[in-house]
Amino acid sequence: EAGVAQSPRYKIIEKRQSVAFWCNPISGHATLYWYQQILGQGPKLLIQFQNNGVVDDSQLPKDRFSAERLKGVDSTLKIQPAKLEDSAVYLCASSLNPGGPTQYFGAGTRLSVL
Amino acid sequence: SQQGEEDPQALSIQEGENATMNCSYKTSINNLQWYRQNSGRGLVHLILIRSNEREKHSGRLRVTLDTSKKSSSLLITASRAADTASYFCATDPTGNQFYFGTGTSLTVIP
């Protein structure tokens, strides 16, 4: 079965610019997660979707971050405007059900904000 | 924070030796999982242990869970160079979300 697809793999932008990341989860997986992983740290959950509804976005900086999963399949995470501290790897994961228990991760998008 | 903490932060061993890493967490959990992350890659699920289990094996992996101490350990036996990676524990206090620890960076020297 195909894994979680993410694009782009790398992105370099200047602060105050906008950027968008795309994720296509494993077919049939209802739950989709976006994580932010800063260098040297573990992944931090930004937002969790169940189909096209938001389950938890309590750690999403909503003044600059937004995410959508309109048709309950693929998802887009946007940052506008970016700050230096947004430099990180953005990981997308999916699971069959909420709480998985197993999450399947994409390779991530490495963002550098200059 | 509900995040777990792995110990040690970094571990370097010779090929063939065993590697042990620990995870401590703060709240009660439904289950605990261990994931591996190779450099520049996403995380890969290794093993899950439920809160009513004390020990679980999968190939060269052995996981223990002590809910009274809120801690877990991951043992990799007969390590290989390919085991070089970062290892994270993840807990789900609510049964619906996961909180990852800070990770242990393992280097296996051939």
Side-chain angles (χ1 to χ4, degrees), chain B residues 6-99:
Chain B
E6 284 88 345
D7 172 61
Q9 286 190 328
L11 180 61
S12 183
I13 60 174
Q14 296 289 330
E15 200 166 31
E17 293 181 336
N18 295 341
T20 300
M21 51 206 87
N22 305 294
C23 169
S24 59
Y25 55 92
K26 297 178 180 177
T27 64
S28 60
I29 59 172
N30 292 290
N31 63 61
L32 183 145
Q33 302 182 54
W34 285 91
Y35 284 79
R36 183 187 75 228
Q37 185 176 36
N38 291 88
S39 181
R41 309 290 294 178
L43 283 76
V44 175
H45 179 260
L46 295 176
I47 195 166
L48 176 150
I49 186 165
R50 300 193 186 281
S51 59
N52 61 353
E53 297 175 313
R54 292 296 168 259
E55 187 171 312
K56 203 158 183 181
H57 296 256
S58 176
R60 294 185 295 113
L61 305 180
R62 172 178 168 254
V63 169
T64 61
L65 179 64
D66 187 334
T67 53
S68 66
K69 295 182 179 178
K70 292 186 170 61
S71 68
S72 173
S73 68
L74 170 67
L75 168 67
I76 304 174
T77 60
S79 63
R80 306 166 182 169
D83 295 328
T84 294
S86 291
Y87 292 81
F88 295 90
C89 66
T91 56
D92 67 336
T94 64
N96 197 36
Q97 294 156 5
F98 295 86
Y99 296 90

Side-chain angles (χ1 to χ4, degrees), chain A residues 1-5 24-27 29 94 104:
Chain A
E1 93 188 333
V4 176
N24 193 23
I26 292 173
S27 178
H29 280 197
S94 68
Y104 297 86

